[in-house]
Amino acid sequence: AFKHEGPIDHRPYSEYVIDCLTRFRPGYKIFSSVVYASDFSVPQHRPRFVMFGIRVDVAKRLGLISLSNEEFFRRLEICSEDFRKKHDLPTKVKDAIDDLKTARTRLIQCEDSVGFKQIKYQVPKKCNSYLKLMRRNASGSPNSLRLANHKKETVQKFRFLLKYASKGHSISQELREKIHSKKQCFTVLDPDSVSTTITTLPDDCMHYSEPRILTVRECARLQSFPDWFDFKGKYTTGGHRRKLECPRYTQVGNAVPPLMAEIIGRFLLQLNAKYEENDEKTAVAAIEKTEEFFRSLHMPTCLGDMKMGVQPDEVLKEMAGKATAGDTMKVGAFQKMGEKELYEIYKKANHI
């Protein structure tokens, strides 16, 4: 989102896109910012650049033309806060994956990978609010529970990190040297905080209490994927196959967190509802102005009465009688119109 690799200029690519959109006719009102998944009830930091482009004529109807970028995203934040309050959502790692620990159940043969183990999942008797949301519309065990087959020395390194690493932060240079690791970014998760960004590489972080990397399902939970959502295909791949395949860890790591997407979608629906409400108000105002115009010309009108829907026949006769009473018909074809003729017009309009 921030780089432009083409020959156009050296600006961030996001600025180039904004410039193009604002120059289009009728043009777009642009709002953009870096937001964090954790602000959308996702138990993960995950900073992401977000851009909204609203056509200028629509933005005018919504009263957004003079709205600042900060105020627009404050409104999005309010929408997110309302969602969090409604579902009483925490944003801690343990609330998302504690029920998937190997320590709380027994291991069985993996259902979709020969030579691997997985937990025999049991739904907790008492689910926290985040887990209730993840388990909504799900029955039984989620898929993609395969545990990594770590070498003995790898497990020993992980046990060492569980004991000495600062959880929730990349391990220090000193610890990397002690375990002979060249990875620049490796984090032991903090159970009482949000997760580091879930990537396509399963060995960028490890469990907060067990000497292992996360399963695909644990990564999916931290991304806010519901348990009914199944991941298919290989778990991992490498070499030239990366260009041809999309393994499960990649499917999870490349995704926009569903909760984040849902809240942004709800925010857009609010804008759309306001736009439609303004449309209705504009239509009503137009009817009222038209009615006022006809009355200023002393022309008979039943627009106000017709707002109430189909009228009884006796009401139509009464309306026609009142409209033709006295010397009020002075415009065009209405000059010589009588009560009976106007009644027929009202009657026909009454059934349209």
mmCIF file of all heavy atoms in Angstrom, residues 130-165:
data_model
loop_
_atom_site.group_PDB
_atom_site.id
_atom_site.type_symbol
_atom_site.label_atom_id
_atom_site.label_comp_id
_atom_site.label_asym_id
_atom_site.label_seq_id
_atom_site.Cartn_x
_atom_site.Cartn_y
_atom_site.Cartn_z
ATOM 1 N N TYR A 130 -15.394 -13.969 23.680
ATOM 2 C CA TYR A 130 -14.741 -14.092 22.360
ATOM 3 C C TYR A 130 -14.948 -15.498 21.801
ATOM 4 O O TYR A 130 -15.261 -15.678 20.619
ATOM 5 C CB TYR A 130 -13.248 -13.794 22.474
ATOM 6 C CG TYR A 130 -12.525 -13.812 21.136
ATOM 7 C CD1 TYR A 130 -12.556 -12.704 20.294
ATOM 8 C CD2 TYR A 130 -11.812 -14.934 20.717
ATOM 9 C CE1 TYR A 130 -11.904 -12.713 19.070
ATOM 10 C CE2 TYR A 130 -11.154 -14.956 19.504
ATOM 11 C CZ TYR A 130 -11.197 -13.837 18.677
ATOM 12 O OH TYR A 130 -10.556 -13.863 17.458
ATOM 13 N N LEU A 131 -14.804 -16.495 22.662
ATOM 14 C CA LEU A 131 -14.976 -17.873 22.224
ATOM 15 C C LEU A 131 -16.421 -18.147 21.799
ATOM 16 O O LEU A 131 -16.675 -18.895 20.854
ATOM 17 C CB LEU A 131 -14.559 -18.828 23.342
ATOM 18 C CG LEU A 131 -14.365 -20.297 22.951
ATOM 19 C CD1 LEU A 131 -13.416 -20.437 21.781
ATOM 20 C CD2 LEU A 131 -13.868 -21.099 24.146
ATOM 21 N N LYS A 132 -17.364 -17.528 22.482
ATOM 22 C CA LYS A 132 -18.768 -17.679 22.080
ATOM 23 C C LYS A 132 -18.973 -17.184 20.652
ATOM 24 O O LYS A 132 -19.705 -17.788 19.866
ATOM 25 C CB LYS A 132 -19.673 -16.888 23.034
ATOM 26 C CG LYS A 132 -19.840 -17.515 24.400
ATOM 27 C CD LYS A 132 -20.724 -16.636 25.283
ATOM 28 C CE LYS A 132 -20.875 -17.235 26.674
ATOM 29 N NZ LYS A 132 -21.686 -16.350 27.567
ATOM 30 N N LEU A 133 -18.310 -16.083 20.314
ATOM 31 C CA LEU A 133 -18.422 -15.532 18.972
ATOM 32 C C LEU A 133 -17.757 -16.460 17.947
ATOM 33 O O LEU A 133 -18.279 -16.676 16.851
ATOM 34 C CB LEU A 133 -17.765 -14.150 18.931
ATOM 35 C CG LEU A 133 -18.208 -13.202 17.817
ATOM 36 C CD1 LEU A 133 -19.707 -12.934 17.875
ATOM 37 C CD2 LEU A 133 -17.428 -11.895 17.908
ATOM 38 N N MET A 134 -16.610 -17.023 18.318
ATOM 39 C CA MET A 134 -15.900 -17.924 17.406
ATOM 40 C C MET A 134 -16.642 -19.254 17.224
ATOM 41 O O MET A 134 -16.578 -19.871 16.156
ATOM 42 C CB MET A 134 -14.484 -18.215 17.931
ATOM 43 C CG MET A 134 -13.559 -17.012 17.986
ATOM 44 S SD MET A 134 -13.252 -16.227 16.383
ATOM 45 C CE MET A 134 -14.421 -14.852 16.438
ATOM 46 N N ARG A 135 -17.351 -19.670 18.253
ATOM 47 C CA ARG A 135 -18.054 -20.948 18.210
ATOM 48 C C ARG A 135 -19.479 -20.816 17.681
ATOM 49 O O ARG A 135 -20.163 -21.814 17.478
ATOM 50 C CB ARG A 135 -18.113 -21.552 19.622
ATOM 51 C CG ARG A 135 -16.777 -22.003 20.188
ATOM 52 C CD ARG A 135 -16.206 -23.174 19.443
ATOM 53 N NE ARG A 135 -17.121 -24.316 19.450
ATOM 54 C CZ ARG A 135 -16.974 -25.383 18.661
ATOM 55 N NH1 ARG A 135 -15.982 -25.444 17.784
ATOM 56 N NH2 ARG A 135 -17.832 -26.379 18.731
ATOM 57 N N ARG A 136 -19.926 -19.613 17.426
ATOM 58 C CA ARG A 136 -21.284 -19.393 16.927
ATOM 59 C C ARG A 136 -21.474 -20.111 15.598
ATOM 60 O O ARG A 136 -20.671 -19.992 14.690
ATOM 61 C CB ARG A 136 -21.545 -17.895 16.772
ATOM 62 C CG ARG A 136 -22.962 -17.538 16.391
ATOM 63 C CD ARG A 136 -23.148 -16.032 16.401
ATOM 64 N NE ARG A 136 -22.232 -15.355 15.484
ATOM 65 C CZ ARG A 136 -22.122 -14.036 15.382
ATOM 66 N NH1 ARG A 136 -22.839 -13.251 16.168
ATOM 67 N NH2 ARG A 136 -21.267 -13.509 14.523
ATOM 68 N N ASN A 137 -22.532 -20.869 15.486
ATOM 69 C CA ASN A 137 -22.873 -21.655 14.285
ATOM 70 C C ASN A 137 -21.899 -22.799 14.024
ATOM 71 O O ASN A 137 -21.910 -23.393 12.935
ATOM 72 C CB ASN A 137 -22.938 -20.756 13.042
ATOM 73 C CG ASN A 137 -23.992 -19.683 13.151
ATOM 74 O OD1 ASN A 137 -25.064 -19.908 13.712
ATOM 75 N ND2 ASN A 137 -23.699 -18.499 12.638
ATOM 76 N N ALA A 138 -21.055 -23.113 14.992
ATOM 77 C CA ALA A 138 -20.126 -24.242 14.855
ATOM 78 C C ALA A 138 -20.609 -25.405 15.698
ATOM 79 O O ALA A 138 -21.199 -25.219 16.762
ATOM 80 C CB ALA A 138 -18.724 -23.832 15.295
ATOM 81 N N SER A 139 -20.368 -26.602 15.214
ATOM 82 C CA SER A 139 -20.721 -27.797 15.982
ATOM 83 C C SER A 139 -19.538 -28.751 15.964
ATOM 84 O O SER A 139 -18.917 -28.973 14.926
ATOM 85 C CB SER A 139 -21.964 -28.484 15.386
ATOM 86 O OG SER A 139 -21.729 -28.865 14.045
ATOM 87 N N GLY A 140 -19.203 -29.294 17.114
ATOM 88 C CA GLY A 140 -18.085 -30.226 17.175
ATOM 89 C C GLY A 140 -16.744 -29.528 17.057
ATOM 90 O O GLY A 140 -16.574 -28.351 17.358
ATOM 91 N N SER A 141 -15.776 -30.288 16.560
ATOM 92 C CA SER A 141 -14.396 -29.826 16.501
ATOM 93 C C SER A 141 -14.115 -29.029 15.227
ATOM 94 O O SER A 141 -14.570 -29.384 14.143
ATOM 95 C CB SER A 141 -13.447 -31.027 16.564
ATOM 96 O OG SER A 141 -12.111 -30.627 16.358
ATOM 97 N N PRO A 142 -13.344 -27.934 15.334
ATOM 98 C CA PRO A 142 -12.907 -27.240 14.125
ATOM 99 C C PRO A 142 -11.825 -28.052 13.427
ATOM 100 O O PRO A 142 -11.237 -28.956 14.024
ATOM 101 C CB PRO A 142 -12.346 -25.919 14.669
ATOM 102 C CG PRO A 142 -11.860 -26.260 16.042
ATOM 103 C CD PRO A 142 -12.832 -27.282 16.558
ATOM 104 N N ASN A 143 -11.550 -27.745 12.170
ATOM 105 C CA ASN A 143 -10.491 -28.480 11.472
ATOM 106 C C ASN A 143 -9.157 -27.754 11.624
ATOM 107 O O ASN A 143 -9.042 -26.754 12.329
ATOM 108 C CB ASN A 143 -10.866 -28.702 10.007
ATOM 109 C CG ASN A 143 -10.470 -27.536 9.106
ATOM 110 O OD1 ASN A 143 -10.424 -26.377 9.518
ATOM 111 N ND2 ASN A 143 -10.199 -27.838 7.855
ATOM 112 N N SER A 144 -8.111 -28.286 10.995
ATOM 113 C CA SER A 144 -6.769 -27.677 10.981
ATOM 114 C C SER A 144 -6.149 -27.593 12.374
ATOM 115 O O SER A 144 -5.594 -26.570 12.775
ATOM 116 C CB SER A 144 -6.819 -26.285 10.343
ATOM 117 O OG SER A 144 -7.288 -26.356 9.019
ATOM 118 N N LEU A 145 -6.204 -28.704 13.115
ATOM 119 C CA LEU A 145 -5.652 -28.771 14.468
ATOM 120 C C LEU A 145 -4.292 -29.476 14.518
ATOM 121 O O LEU A 145 -3.782 -29.768 15.600
ATOM 122 C CB LEU A 145 -6.630 -29.494 15.396
ATOM 123 C CG LEU A 145 -7.975 -28.805 15.668
ATOM 124 C CD1 LEU A 145 -8.909 -29.751 16.419
ATOM 125 C CD2 LEU A 145 -7.779 -27.521 16.450
ATOM 126 N N ARG A 146 -3.711 -29.743 13.369
ATOM 127 C CA ARG A 146 -2.459 -30.515 13.310
ATOM 128 C C ARG A 146 -1.338 -29.841 14.088
ATOM 129 O O ARG A 146 -1.075 -28.650 13.936
ATOM 130 C CB ARG A 146 -2.018 -30.695 11.855
ATOM 131 C CG ARG A 146 -0.898 -31.699 11.698
ATOM 132 C CD ARG A 146 -0.455 -31.813 10.256
ATOM 133 N NE ARG A 146 0.555 -30.805 9.897
ATOM 134 C CZ ARG A 146 1.224 -30.803 8.746
ATOM 135 N NH1 ARG A 146 0.941 -31.732 7.831
ATOM 136 N NH2 ARG A 146 2.124 -29.869 8.481
ATOM 137 N N LEU A 147 -0.659 -30.625 14.937
ATOM 138 C CA LEU A 147 0.475 -30.140 15.717
ATOM 139 C C LEU A 147 1.772 -30.401 14.970
ATOM 140 O O LEU A 147 1.910 -31.427 14.282
ATOM 141 C CB LEU A 147 0.525 -30.841 17.076
ATOM 142 C CG LEU A 147 -0.663 -30.568 18.009
ATOM 143 C CD1 LEU A 147 -0.751 -31.637 19.089
ATOM 144 C CD2 LEU A 147 -0.522 -29.183 18.639
ATOM 145 N N ALA A 148 2.726 -29.496 15.102
ATOM 146 C CA ALA A 148 4.015 -29.660 14.422
ATOM 147 C C ALA A 148 4.806 -30.804 15.048
ATOM 148 O O ALA A 148 4.725 -31.049 16.259
ATOM 149 C CB ALA A 148 4.801 -28.361 14.511
ATOM 150 N N ASN A 149 5.555 -31.513 14.221
ATOM 151 C CA ASN A 149 6.454 -32.561 14.708
ATOM 152 C C ASN A 149 7.837 -31.946 14.953
ATOM 153 O O ASN A 149 8.718 -31.991 14.097
ATOM 154 C CB ASN A 149 6.568 -33.701 13.681
ATOM 155 C CG ASN A 149 5.385 -34.627 13.725
ATOM 156 O OD1 ASN A 149 4.684 -34.710 14.732
ATOM 157 N ND2 ASN A 149 5.132 -35.346 12.641
ATOM 158 N N HIS A 150 8.024 -31.317 16.103
ATOM 159 C CA HIS A 150 9.294 -30.660 16.400
ATOM 160 C C HIS A 150 10.369 -31.681 16.776
ATOM 161 O O HIS A 150 10.086 -32.706 17.424
ATOM 162 C CB HIS A 150 9.130 -29.685 17.574
ATOM 163 C CG HIS A 150 8.285 -28.495 17.257
ATOM 164 N ND1 HIS A 150 8.509 -27.703 16.161
ATOM 165 C CD2 HIS A 150 7.222 -27.949 17.920
ATOM 166 C CE1 HIS A 150 7.627 -26.720 16.144
ATOM 167 N NE2 HIS A 150 6.828 -26.850 17.194
ATOM 168 N N LYS A 151 11.609 -31.394 16.387
ATOM 169 C CA LYS A 151 12.736 -32.208 16.823
ATOM 170 C C LYS A 151 12.964 -32.002 18.322
ATOM 171 O O LYS A 151 12.574 -30.977 18.884
ATOM 172 C CB LYS A 151 13.992 -31.813 16.048
ATOM 173 C CG LYS A 151 13.924 -32.101 14.561
ATOM 174 C CD LYS A 151 15.201 -31.653 13.878
ATOM 175 C CE LYS A 151 15.136 -31.922 12.376
ATOM 176 N NZ LYS A 151 16.377 -31.459 11.679
ATOM 177 N N LYS A 152 13.634 -32.935 18.941
ATOM 178 C CA LYS A 152 13.869 -32.880 20.385
ATOM 179 C C LYS A 152 14.629 -31.612 20.761
ATOM 180 O O LYS A 152 14.294 -30.931 21.749
ATOM 181 C CB LYS A 152 14.642 -34.119 20.831
ATOM 182 C CG LYS A 152 14.837 -34.207 22.341
ATOM 183 C CD LYS A 152 15.545 -35.508 22.728
ATOM 184 C CE LYS A 152 15.735 -35.586 24.234
ATOM 185 N NZ LYS A 152 16.419 -36.855 24.627
ATOM 186 N N GLU A 153 15.666 -31.254 19.968
ATOM 187 C CA GLU A 153 16.461 -30.068 20.280
ATOM 188 C C GLU A 153 15.647 -28.775 20.116
ATOM 189 O O GLU A 153 15.865 -27.788 20.815
ATOM 190 C CB GLU A 153 17.726 -30.002 19.423
ATOM 191 C CG GLU A 153 17.502 -30.141 17.938
ATOM 192 C CD GLU A 153 17.621 -31.579 17.454
ATOM 193 O OE1 GLU A 153 17.260 -32.500 18.215
ATOM 194 O OE2 GLU A 153 18.071 -31.774 16.303
ATOM 195 N N THR A 154 14.676 -28.801 19.181
ATOM 196 C CA THR A 154 13.804 -27.634 18.987
ATOM 197 C C THR A 154 12.907 -27.448 20.205
ATOM 198 O O THR A 154 12.725 -26.315 20.686
ATOM 199 C CB THR A 154 12.935 -27.802 17.728
ATOM 200 O OG1 THR A 154 13.778 -27.952 16.590
ATOM 201 C CG2 THR A 154 12.036 -26.587 17.525
ATOM 202 N N VAL A 155 12.375 -28.537 20.718
ATOM 203 C CA VAL A 155 11.532 -28.469 21.919
ATOM 204 C C VAL A 155 12.336 -27.934 23.098
ATOM 205 O O VAL A 155 11.840 -27.113 23.896
ATOM 206 C CB VAL A 155 10.948 -29.855 22.258
ATOM 207 C CG1 VAL A 155 10.203 -29.817 23.596
ATOM 208 C CG2 VAL A 155 10.011 -30.318 21.150
ATOM 209 N N GLN A 156 13.602 -28.350 23.205
ATOM 210 C CA GLN A 156 14.460 -27.867 24.290
ATOM 211 C C GLN A 156 14.689 -26.368 24.182
ATOM 212 O O GLN A 156 14.671 -25.649 25.189
ATOM 213 C CB GLN A 156 15.796 -28.621 24.258
ATOM 214 C CG GLN A 156 15.684 -30.080 24.668
ATOM 215 C CD GLN A 156 16.999 -30.830 24.514
ATOM 216 O OE1 GLN A 156 17.905 -30.383 23.804
ATOM 217 N NE2 GLN A 156 17.100 -31.987 25.167
ATOM 218 N N LYS A 157 14.896 -25.871 22.956
ATOM 219 C CA LYS A 157 15.081 -24.424 22.741
ATOM 220 C C LYS A 157 13.813 -23.666 23.129
ATOM 221 O O LYS A 157 13.870 -22.604 23.757
ATOM 222 C CB LYS A 157 15.428 -24.156 21.277
ATOM 223 C CG LYS A 157 16.810 -24.601 20.876
ATOM 224 C CD LYS A 157 17.062 -24.317 19.397
ATOM 225 C CE LYS A 157 18.453 -24.793 18.983
ATOM 226 N NZ LYS A 157 18.711 -24.528 17.531
ATOM 227 N N PHE A 158 12.671 -24.233 22.755
ATOM 228 C CA PHE A 158 11.402 -23.579 23.078
ATOM 229 C C PHE A 158 11.158 -23.549 24.579
ATOM 230 O O PHE A 158 10.634 -22.563 25.116
ATOM 231 C CB PHE A 158 10.245 -24.276 22.359
ATOM 232 C CG PHE A 158 10.158 -23.969 20.884
ATOM 233 C CD1 PHE A 158 9.301 -24.675 20.059
ATOM 234 C CD2 PHE A 158 10.927 -22.964 20.311
ATOM 235 C CE1 PHE A 158 9.196 -24.396 18.699
ATOM 236 C CE2 PHE A 158 10.847 -22.666 18.959
ATOM 237 C CZ PHE A 158 9.974 -23.386 18.150
ATOM 238 N N ARG A 159 11.534 -24.602 25.269
ATOM 239 C CA ARG A 159 11.381 -24.620 26.732
ATOM 240 C C ARG A 159 12.268 -23.539 27.365
ATOM 241 O O ARG A 159 11.867 -22.865 28.321
ATOM 242 C CB ARG A 159 11.758 -25.989 27.293
ATOM 243 C CG ARG A 159 10.775 -27.107 26.942
ATOM 244 C CD ARG A 159 11.095 -28.375 27.719
ATOM 245 N NE ARG A 159 10.291 -29.498 27.268
ATOM 246 C CZ ARG A 159 9.017 -29.714 27.621
ATOM 247 N NH1 ARG A 159 8.427 -28.861 28.451
ATOM 248 N NH2 ARG A 159 8.372 -30.763 27.171
ATOM 249 N N PHE A 160 13.451 -23.366 26.812
ATOM 250 C CA PHE A 160 14.369 -22.347 27.286
ATOM 251 C C PHE A 160 13.770 -20.952 27.094
ATOM 252 O O PHE A 160 13.814 -20.102 27.990
ATOM 253 C CB PHE A 160 15.705 -22.471 26.541
ATOM 254 C CG PHE A 160 16.717 -21.423 26.895
ATOM 255 C CD1 PHE A 160 17.510 -21.563 28.027
ATOM 256 C CD2 PHE A 160 16.879 -20.288 26.105
ATOM 257 C CE1 PHE A 160 18.447 -20.585 28.368
ATOM 258 C CE2 PHE A 160 17.800 -19.317 26.428
ATOM 259 C CZ PHE A 160 18.589 -19.469 27.567
ATOM 260 N N LEU A 161 13.162 -20.739 25.924
ATOM 261 C CA LEU A 161 12.553 -19.442 25.637
ATOM 262 C C LEU A 161 11.344 -19.173 26.526
ATOM 263 O O LEU A 161 11.114 -18.034 26.956
ATOM 264 C CB LEU A 161 12.153 -19.366 24.163
ATOM 265 C CG LEU A 161 13.305 -19.319 23.152
ATOM 266 C CD1 LEU A 161 12.763 -19.346 21.723
ATOM 267 C CD2 LEU A 161 14.170 -18.081 23.366
ATOM 268 N N LEU A 162 10.559 -20.212 26.790
ATOM 269 C CA LEU A 162 9.403 -20.041 27.679
ATOM 270 C C LEU A 162 9.836 -19.568 29.065
ATOM 271 O O LEU A 162 9.115 -18.829 29.741
ATOM 272 C CB LEU A 162 8.629 -21.355 27.804
ATOM 273 C CG LEU A 162 7.738 -21.750 26.624
ATOM 274 C CD1 LEU A 162 7.169 -23.154 26.829
ATOM 275 C CD2 LEU A 162 6.605 -20.750 26.444
ATOM 276 N N LYS A 163 11.036 -19.984 29.464
ATOM 277 C CA LYS A 163 11.543 -19.658 30.794
ATOM 278 C C LYS A 163 12.190 -18.275 30.844
ATOM 279 O O LYS A 163 12.012 -17.530 31.823
ATOM 280 C CB LYS A 163 12.539 -20.719 31.241
ATOM 281 C CG LYS A 163 13.008 -20.546 32.685
ATOM 282 C CD LYS A 163 13.903 -21.723 33.102
ATOM 283 C CE LYS A 163 14.333 -21.562 34.563
ATOM 284 N NZ LYS A 163 15.186 -22.708 34.992
ATOM 285 N N TYR A 164 12.892 -17.880 29.758
ATOM 286 C CA TYR A 164 13.710 -16.671 29.840
ATOM 287 C C TYR A 164 13.285 -15.528 28.915
ATOM 288 O O TYR A 164 13.705 -14.380 29.128
ATOM 289 C CB TYR A 164 15.178 -17.028 29.536
ATOM 290 C CG TYR A 164 15.791 -17.941 30.565
ATOM 291 C CD1 TYR A 164 15.997 -19.293 30.287
ATOM 292 C CD2 TYR A 164 16.147 -17.463 31.830
ATOM 293 C CE1 TYR A 164 16.555 -20.145 31.236
ATOM 294 C CE2 TYR A 164 16.704 -18.301 32.788
ATOM 295 C CZ TYR A 164 16.903 -19.639 32.481
ATOM 296 O OH TYR A 164 17.449 -20.474 33.424
ATOM 297 N N ALA A 165 12.494 -15.793 27.902
ATOM 298 C CA ALA A 165 12.129 -14.734 26.948
ATOM 299 C C ALA A 165 11.079 -13.797 27.546
ATOM 300 O O ALA A 165 10.254 -14.199 28.371
ATOM 301 C CB ALA A 165 11.606 -15.347 25.660
#
